[in-house]
DNA sequence: AGCACGCCGACT
DNA sequence: GTCGGCGTGCTC
């Protein structure tokens, strides 16, 4: 077994296989599956993952592994298999799937160096370049005027050679600590030698005899109540020394979080948790759909189920949408399980993520709370996986590997024979349909734990407002309610549902819309810089003063940004203090929390924001929720637009009156009769489900049909159309009768970065070999992909049909 | 992907 | 002789 099978860090379909390498004697004992290694690959050196060991290879001349990068495997055998499964399910490369399971810092960085191999004089440009050094970075050469041709000659002469390096991005954090430099019994002896007057020094020494071996200076001085000079005196005597010690970065100050105890469950909660606990106790896999209205206490069920898992010595993964992974949420888990929790989300620095990941890897925690990628936490003894707000689209990764965390969770749940909990007030149709069929177990929570009814929802028809001569974005009803609310000293949350409503620039005379010259999409107006920007490429231009088509001066920006709403409120209700929360105001780390804290501290009357304020936030004093434009995403070309509208309205309504005060919700819309708005206002999930299912069945959409989306892009439009047609035809030849292949049609954004984009959509009920077919077809175009810059991407079960 | 190698045309 | 620009084939 001295040959290793290695998945190599080269993301190319022709390299998507294992490569065999000899394991040199010195690594024989230590090398395990799932470790990262450095291997020679052609002329260079690259990183790879060991995925197996064999004693024979069909290859004659094997190279040796150069270096082993890990002391313990970074991927367990389960995760290696999972990687294979993910790559296969999502039609992505093995290496991409493996990298997705690890923190970014474990990715290798590559560098090249030029090494001087001779003391003899080098040809002139190189002497200047090296300037007396023996090694320079390749970049330095590339940035110089020296030609590659000249370098080749010197390399052939053997006077310079290229070294290929694999560098690690890992950074560890260290603190300087004070430690005893001798064992305790020798310190005792030293104690006797100290002069009787050196009281503080004696105290210090006794501290080290009695206590831990190392401590931060600041803490030490506090505990012993002395100054640096005493410490220094003992150091000079050689009794104490400074020591650099590695510490884990700690993004959350555990000590400051108040511990909580389990709450008594309501009868409903108890009924819901029983079967989950039974699955944990008897160690079998099942998927539970926990359908509970907002405020029904889903989180408490999670917490108690996790407690059961911890008691059994097992581990738990909790997935939450990125957007709701707020300090409030973290606090609930840390409050119950303290330092036994690792937190993983994008706001952490790369180093912090790495440290949280290592806590899991070293089994220092039993719980991880995190966004999508936390589903790959390297636990080996999982007892439960929980997906909160399971309807959130962020669980689907939008770039390769395009996996869905729900599918991965269920796969891991089967492996570990543990339950998977999907929780939501507004489950996806897919999940609810499965629960209805008995594939998932359904648990329903209809009551809020505070016994308060859901807030009453008023729908305001904005067309009537217009007829009545109200041209502002606030209906009379909403304006009045805001004023009353502020008068009572209560707070307001205003949701601007901005999707599909970005601020574009249009000429009022000729209707010309300013588009990106490289992409077929309207440019977005940015007020603070007075610039037009493209969100798909890096194009920027200044705001024109006249229409480029008709020279009219009446060129303006349209759409409703949060900034404009803010201005409008201040005009309409001058006494209102408004806090704005959107992508612009939350870009800086920690600004999210800052805004929320200000609002909790009642520094403002109105919290105005986009989707991010709809989720999981819990404010005592909020009694009014206003939705400015409920239907803004209803008309998007997306078969889920009704479902998304229903979900958003239900979620945001749940923000009002969560505590003692009763809440009120006002929803403004131009389509007040639309079923997703009407039924959301009645909190009627069941009717919505039935109605929407009916539409999905008629139009052959999920959950009745599965989807696969193939997108083809190229600089040459004719080539894209031709290739797309070929692909569609090849597909149709293989697929079943009831499978539909739509297209090719231009993508919703037909051109991005000067590349034309066409797509084929496959709708199918049962195609066990679909992935095989697609792979084969894509393979047929491999040559053009490689040589002609053709791009074919496949998205199984896509969420965004872009 | 990223690298070497080979061939070609261009420039001085 | 020197240089950059492709196209091609290979990586255990």
């Amino acid at each position: 077994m001295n040959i290793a099978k290695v998945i190599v860090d080269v993301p190319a379909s022709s390299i998507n296989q294992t490569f065999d390498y000899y394991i040199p004697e010195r690594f024989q004992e230590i090398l395990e599956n799932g470790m990262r290694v450095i291997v020679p690959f052609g002329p260079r050196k690259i990183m790879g993952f060991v995925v197996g060991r064999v004693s024979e290879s069909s290859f004659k001349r094997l190279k040796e592994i150069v270096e082993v990068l890990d002391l313990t495997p970074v991927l367990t055998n389960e995760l290696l298999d999972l990687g294979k499964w993910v790559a296969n399910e999502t039609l992505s490369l093995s290496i991409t799937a493996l990298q997705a399971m690890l923190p970014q810092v474990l990715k290798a960085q590559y560098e090249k160096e030029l090494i001087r191999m001779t003391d003899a004089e080098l040809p002139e440009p190189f002497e200047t370049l090296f300037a007396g050094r023996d090694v320079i970075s390749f970049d330095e050469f590339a940035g110089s005027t020296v030609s590659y041709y000249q370098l080749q000659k010197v390399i052939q002469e053997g006077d310079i050679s290229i070294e290929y390096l694999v560098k690690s991005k890992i950074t560890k954090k260290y603190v300087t600590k004070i430690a005893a430099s001798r064992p305790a019994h020798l310190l005792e002896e030293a104690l006797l030698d100290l002069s009787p007057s050196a009281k503080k020094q004696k105290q210090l020494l006794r501290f080290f005899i009695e206590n831990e071996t190392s401590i931060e200076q600041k803490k030490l001085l506090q505990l012993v109540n002395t100054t640096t000079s005493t410490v220094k005196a003992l150091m000079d005597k050689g009794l104490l020394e400074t020591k650099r010690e590695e510490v884990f970065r700690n993004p959350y100050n555990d000590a400051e979080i108040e511990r909580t105890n389990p709450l008594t469950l309501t009868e409903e909660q108890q009924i819901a948790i029983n079967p989950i606990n039974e699955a944990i106790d008897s160690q079998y896999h099942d998927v539970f759909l926990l359908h509970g209205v907002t405020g029904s206490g889903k989180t408490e069920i999670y917490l108690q189920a996790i407690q059961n898992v911890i008691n059994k010595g097992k581990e738990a993964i909790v997935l939450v949408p990125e957007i709701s992974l707020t300090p409030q949420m973290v606090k609930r888990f840390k409050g119950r399980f303290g330092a036994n929790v690792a937190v993983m989300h994008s706001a952490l620095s790369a180093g912090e993520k790495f440290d949280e990941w290592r806590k899991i890897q070293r089994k220092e925690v039993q719980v991880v709370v995190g966004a999508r990628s936390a589903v790959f936490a390297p636990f080996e003894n999982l007892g439960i996986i929980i997906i909160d707000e399971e309807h959130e689209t962020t669980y689907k990764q939008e770039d390769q590997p395009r996996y869905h965390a729900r599918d991965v969770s269920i796969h891991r749940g089967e492996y570990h024979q543990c339950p998977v909990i999907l929780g939501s007030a507004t489950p996806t149709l897919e999940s609810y349909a499965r629960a209805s069929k008995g594939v998932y177990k359904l648990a329903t929570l209809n009551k809020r734990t505070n016994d308060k009814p859901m807030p009453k929802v008023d729908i305001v028809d904005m067309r009537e407002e217009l007829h009545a001569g109200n041209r502002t974005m606030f209906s009379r009803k909403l304006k009045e309610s805001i004023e009353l609310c502020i008068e009572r000293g209560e707070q307001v949350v205003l949701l601007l549902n901005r999707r599909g409503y970005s601020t574009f620039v249009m000429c009022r005379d000729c209707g010309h819309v300013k588009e990106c010259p490289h992409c077929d999409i309207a440019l977005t107006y940015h007020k603070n810089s007075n610039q037009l920007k493209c969100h798909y490429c890096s194009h920027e231009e200044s705001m024109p003063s006249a229409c480029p088509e008709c020279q009219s001066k009446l060129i303006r920006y349209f759409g409703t940004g949060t900034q404009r709403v803010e201005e409008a409120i201040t005009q309409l209700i001058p006494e209102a203090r408004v806090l704005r929360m959107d992508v612009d105001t939350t870009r800086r780390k920690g600004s999210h929390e800052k805004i929320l804290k200000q609002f909790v501290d009642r520094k403002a009357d109105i919290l105005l924001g986009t989707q991010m304020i709809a989720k999981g936030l819990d404010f005592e004093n909020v009694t009014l929720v206003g939705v400015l434009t409920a239907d803004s995403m209803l008309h998007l070309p997306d078969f889920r637009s009704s479902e998304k509208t229903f979900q958003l309205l239900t979620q945001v309504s749940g923000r009002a009156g969560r505590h003692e005060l009763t809440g009120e919700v006002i929803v403004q819309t131009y389509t007040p009769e639309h079923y997703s708005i009407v039924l959301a206002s009645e909190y009627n999930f069941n009717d919505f489900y039935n109605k929407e299912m009916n539409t999905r069945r008629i139009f052959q959409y999920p959950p009745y049909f599965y989807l696969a989306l193939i997108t083809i892009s190229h600089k040459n439009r004719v080539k894209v159309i031709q290739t797309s047609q070929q692909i569609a035809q090849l597909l149709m030849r293989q697929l079943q009768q009831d499978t539909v292949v739509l297209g090719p049609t231009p993508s919703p954004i037909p051109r991005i970065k000067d590349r034309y984009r066409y797509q084929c959509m496959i709708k199918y009920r049962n195609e066990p070999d679909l992935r095989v077919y697609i792979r084969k077809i894509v393979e047929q175009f491999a040559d053009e992909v490689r040589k002609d810059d053709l791009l074919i991407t496949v998205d199984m079960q896509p969420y965004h049909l872009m």
Side-chain angles (χ1 to χ4, degrees):
Chain A
M1 302 283 268
N2 58 347
I3 293 169
K5 296 232 163 252
V6 177
I7 300 265
V8 137
D9 180 21
V10 178
S13 61
S14 55
I15 311 296
N16 193 24
Q17 49 172 16
T18 58
F19 285 77
D20 296 348
Y21 288 91
Y22 277 127
I23 306 167
E25 192 59 45
R26 63 185 187 285
F27 298 142
Q28 291 274 357
E29 294 288 307
I30 57 165
L31 192 69
E32 289 176 53
N33 279 357
M35 284 182 175
R36 296 172 306 145
V37 289
I38 297 175
V39 290
F41 197 70
R44 49 198 176 123
K45 276 185 218 144
I46 54 172
M47 195 271 288
F49 293 95
V50 176
V51 295
R53 270 175 93 147
V54 288
S55 38
E56 263 175 67
S57 169
S58 55
F59 251 78
K60 277 197 274 304
R61 272 189 288 280
L62 295 188
K63 293 183 179 174
E64 282 191 349
I65 289 174
V66 180
E67 197 58 74
V68 177
L69 291 173
D70 300 306
L71 293 170
T72 51
V74 292
L75 291 166
T76 61
N77 276 317
E78 185 220 346
L79 290 178
L80 288 175
D81 281 347
L82 187 66
K84 220 187 270 175
W85 180 81
V86 167
N88 187 47
E89 279 303 291
T90 64
L91 291 136
S92 44
L93 304 168
S94 297
I95 187 68
T96 321
L98 295 184
Q99 306 265 35
M101 306 197 288
L102 294 170
Q104 278 297 306
V105 287
L106 292 180
K107 262 185 102 172
Q109 272 182 328
Y110 300 104
E111 275 173 36
K112 285 191 283 179
E113 284 176 346
L114 292 185
I115 303 185
R116 185 195 193 113
M117 303 297 281
T118 171
D119 289 337
E121 187 105 342
L122 293 170
E124 181 28 45
F126 291 102
E127 283 300 339
T128 328
L129 202 57
F130 275 79
R133 293 166 296 179
D134 286 334
V135 180
I136 62 167
S137 85
F138 189 88
D139 291 344
E140 208 171 318
F141 157 77
S144 75
T145 57
V146 187
S147 74
Y148 200 81
Y149 178 81
Q150 287 185 65
L151 178 64
Q152 273 179 324
K153 277 202 302 183
V154 198
I155 289 174
Q156 259 159 32
E157 293 290 315
D159 292 339
I160 287 179
S161 80
I162 302 183
E163 172 83 349
Y164 298 86
L165 302 171
V166 182
K167 291 223 163 165
S168 160
K169 281 195 257 189
I170 295 177
T171 55
K172 291 180 179 172
K173 192 179 168 183
Y174 295 92
V175 286
T176 309
K177 289 189 172 180
I178 311 288
S181 37
R182 297 182 192 172
H185 68 275
L186 290 179
L187 291 183
E188 303 251 20
E189 283 176 26
L191 199 59
L192 305 172
D193 293 343
L194 283 177
S195 105
S197 61
K199 272 192 190 160
K200 282 291 175 189
Q201 292 190 31
K202 282 187 181 169
Q203 235 179 303
L204 261 178
L205 270 191
R206 271 193 214 102
F207 175 86
F208 280 101
I209 293 164
E210 288 159 19
N211 290 294
E212 50 205 302
T213 42
S214 68
I215 181 168
E216 275 176 67
Q217 173 150 315
K218 218 166 130 197
K219 262 194 198 162
L220 178 67
L221 297 184
Q222 228 171 32
L223 281 170
V224 189
N225 188 25
T226 178
T227 59
T228 43
S229 60
T230 338
V231 178
K232 198 170 173 304
L234 286 173
M235 279 196 208
D236 290 344
K237 293 196 176 82
L239 297 170
L240 296 184
E241 61 186 10
T242 55
K243 219 164 123 185
R244 240 162 74 91
E245 254 183 46
E246 195 200 332
V247 286
F248 280 2
R249 302 162 183 88
N250 191 1
Y252 299 94
N253 200 341
D254 297 338
E256 280 177 15
I257 296 174
E258 221 175 292
R259 294 300 289 260
T260 63
N261 289 316
L263 308 172
T264 317
L265 296 182
T266 63
E267 200 186 327
E268 245 188 3
Q269 284 176 316
Q270 196 61 53
I271 291 168
I273 201 174
N274 284 342
I276 296 172
N277 277 331
E278 198 187 308
I280 296 168
D281 296 343
S282 326
Q283 305 187 36
Y284 62 82
H285 167 71
D286 231 333
V287 181
F288 295 89
L289 178 61
L290 189 56
H291 178 207
V293 298
T294 39
S296 61
K298 290 189 289 292
T299 312
E300 187 59 33
I301 294 181
Y302 303 155
L303 291 169
Q304 298 198 15
I306 293 169
Q307 188 63 60
N308 185 10
V309 165
I310 291 176
N311 293 345
K312 297 205 155 49
K314 293 193 169 189
E315 298 128 357
I317 294 177
V318 185
L319 301 184
V320 292
E322 189 80 69
I323 210 160
S324 67
L325 199 47
T326 55
Q328 282 188 20
M329 190 71 174
V330 172
K331 227 164 116 183
R332 292 202 66 178
F333 285 86
K334 290 232 170 200
R336 193 65 59 85
F337 308 118
N340 202 4
V341 181
V343 181
M344 288 274 218
H345 69 112
S346 64
L348 302 182
S349 72
E352 285 168 344
K353 277 184 211 159
F354 177 53
D355 284 354
E356 295 295 300
W357 178 84
R358 276 194 295 169
K359 285 185 200 167
I360 302 165
Q361 195 208 18
R362 298 183 184 186
K363 310 278 145 38
E364 286 169 13
V365 292
Q366 285 173 285
V367 182
V368 59
V369 180
R372 180 180 57 233
S373 64
V375 74
F376 297 116
F379 283 133
E380 290 178 89
N381 202 6
L382 274 174
I384 196 168
I385 303 176
I386 293 164
I387 307 188
D388 189 32
E389 311 286 356
E390 74 79 45
H391 60 277
E392 281 294 320
T393 55
T394 54
Y395 289 126
K396 174 75 197 285
Q397 173 136 69
E398 280 305 319
D399 37 42
Q400 295 230 344
R402 299 172 190 270
Y403 66 91
H404 199 298
R406 193 201 301 132
D407 303 335
V408 178
S409 298
I410 293 170
H411 195 72
R412 289 197 82 180
E414 282 166 4
Y415 176 90
H416 288 278
Q417 285 301 300
C418 73
V420 172
I421 318 298
L422 311 176
S424 176
T426 51
T428 54
L429 295 205
E430 283 91 332
S431 296
Y432 203 80
R434 285 197 184 142
S436 305
K437 283 206 298 187
V439 182
Y440 299 166
K441 303 271 176 298
L442 181 66
T444 310
L445 303 172
N446 284 317
K447 292 191 198 118
R448 296 180 118 184
T449 45
N450 63 0
D451 259 339
K452 288 263 151 65
M454 293 298 287
K456 186 172 167 303
V457 180
D458 275 319
I459 300 173
V460 178
D461 187 346
M462 290 304 275
R463 293 169 305 190
E464 279 176 23
E465 291 296 309
L466 214 60
H467 292 152
N470 178 7
R471 300 181 147 270
T472 69
M473 52 186 102
F474 296 92
S475 58
R476 290 158 296 178
K477 165 97 182 150
L478 181 57
K479 175 175 185 274
E480 191 184 313
S481 297
I482 293 175
E483 283 166 342
L484 283 173
C485 190
I486 294 177
E487 230 168 75
R488 290 195 305 266
E490 293 162 10
Q491 289 172 297
V492 185
V493 166
L494 280 185
L495 175 79
L496 177 65
N497 187 7
R498 212 169 46 162
R499 284 260 320 256
Y501 241 98
S502 65
T503 48
F504 59 100
V505 167
M506 188 171 86
C507 171
R508 290 201 172 189
D509 271 332
C510 71
H512 173 74
V513 174
K514 203 84 176 72
E515 288 193 345
C516 174
H518 308 287
C519 314
D520 291 333
I521 193 104
L523 290 167
T524 305
Y525 177 66
H526 286 247
K527 196 176 183 188
N528 20 6
S529 56
N530 199 35
Q531 291 258 306
L532 297 174
K533 288 182 190 168
C534 174
H535 284 186
Y536 291 88
C537 68
S538 46
H539 180 82
E540 266 180 64
E541 58 185 77
S542 50
M543 174 78 183
S545 53
C547 172
E549 290 291 305
C550 71
Q551 321 314 323
S552 163
K553 297 269 182 206
L554 283 176
I555 186 156
R556 295 287 140 79
Y557 64 89
F558 279 79
T560 324
T562 42
Q563 293 183 20
R564 276 208 35 213
V565 181
E566 188 183 10
E567 285 164 20
I569 299 175
T570 4
Q571 264 181 22
L572 212 62
I573 312 169
E575 69 273 20
R577 296 167 302 163
V578 184
L579 262 177
R580 208 177 84 219
M581 188 151 144
D582 56 23
V583 199
D584 288 335
T585 60
T586 53
R587 194 165 296 130
R588 278 207 358 266
K589 203 178 155 184
S591 47
H592 200 263
E593 293 86 78
K594 231 189 203 160
I595 295 175
L596 293 179
K597 181 152 192 331
Q598 283 178 44
F599 193 59
V600 170
D601 293 346
R602 308 195 185 177
K603 298 262 164 61
D605 308 302
I606 301 176
L607 178 65
L608 164 68
T610 49
Q611 324 252 356
M612 61 177 77
I613 59 169
K615 325 281 177 189
L617 303 177
D618 191 353
F619 304 110
E620 270 186 33
N621 197 37
V622 170
T623 52
L624 175 64
V625 167
V627 181
L628 292 170
T629 43
D631 39 13
S632 67
M633 58 181 178
L634 218 44
H635 313 296
L636 292 177
D638 178 351
F639 68 91
R640 280 184 240 264
S641 60
S642 298
E643 187 182 0
K644 285 179 183 164
T645 301
F646 180 87
Q647 286 164 353
L648 188 68
L649 292 181
T650 310
Q651 297 285 337
V652 77
S653 301
R655 299 307 116 216
R658 285 179 72 104
H659 297 268
E660 289 312 305
L661 305 163
T662 30
E664 180 189 8
V665 180
I666 295 174
V667 173
Q668 303 189 152
T669 171
Y670 290 92
T671 46
E673 65 287 343
H674 194 282
Y675 63 93
S676 63
I677 294 175
V678 175
L679 294 173
S681 76
E682 295 166 359
Y683 303 98
N684 189 343
F685 178 81
N686 282 325
D687 281 2
F688 175 78
Y689 170 77
N690 290 328
K691 183 138 181 108
E692 185 66 12
M693 281 296 271
N694 203 28
T695 349
R696 300 286 180 91
R697 189 169 44 76
I698 293 166
F699 291 101
Q700 305 193 321
Y701 274 121
Y704 291 98
F705 279 73
Y706 294 108
L707 300 182
L709 186 71
I710 304 181
T711 307
I712 299 98
S713 87
H714 192 265
K715 297 245 176 212
N716 180 341
R717 186 170 166 173
V718 180
K719 190 181 175 74
V720 180
I721 298 175
Q722 279 173 356
T723 313
S724 312
Q725 275 165 351
Q726 285 174 34
I727 289 177
Q729 269 159 23
L730 287 167
L731 276 168
M732 279 191 275
R733 228 177 272 170
Q734 316 232 33
L735 302 175
Q736 324 250 347
Q737 281 280 304
D738 62 347
T739 297
V740 187
V741 180
L742 294 178
T745 51
S747 293
I749 303 167
R751 188 178 51 130
I752 294 181
K753 291 183 192 169
D754 290 319
R755 298 178 65 96
Y756 292 91
R757 310 164 73 242
Y758 273 69
Q759 61 186 26
C760 299
M761 165 107 71
I762 309 163
K763 294 183 183 179
Y764 63 101
R765 295 176 78 104
N766 185 26
E767 290 285 358
D769 295 325
L770 180 64
R771 286 170 179 79
V772 180
Y773 300 147
I774 296 180
R775 215 187 294 271
K776 270 191 190 146
I777 291 168
V778 172
E779 192 58 35
Q780 287 183 37
F781 293 90
D783 251 28
E784 285 174 78
V785 168
R786 170 116 171 82
K787 289 175 186 154
D788 198 21
D789 202 23
L790 181 73
L791 208 66
I792 305 175
T793 55
V794 184
D795 192 352
M796 305 300 290
Q797 277 58 260
Y799 263 73
H800 299 296
L801 306 181
M802 315 271 265

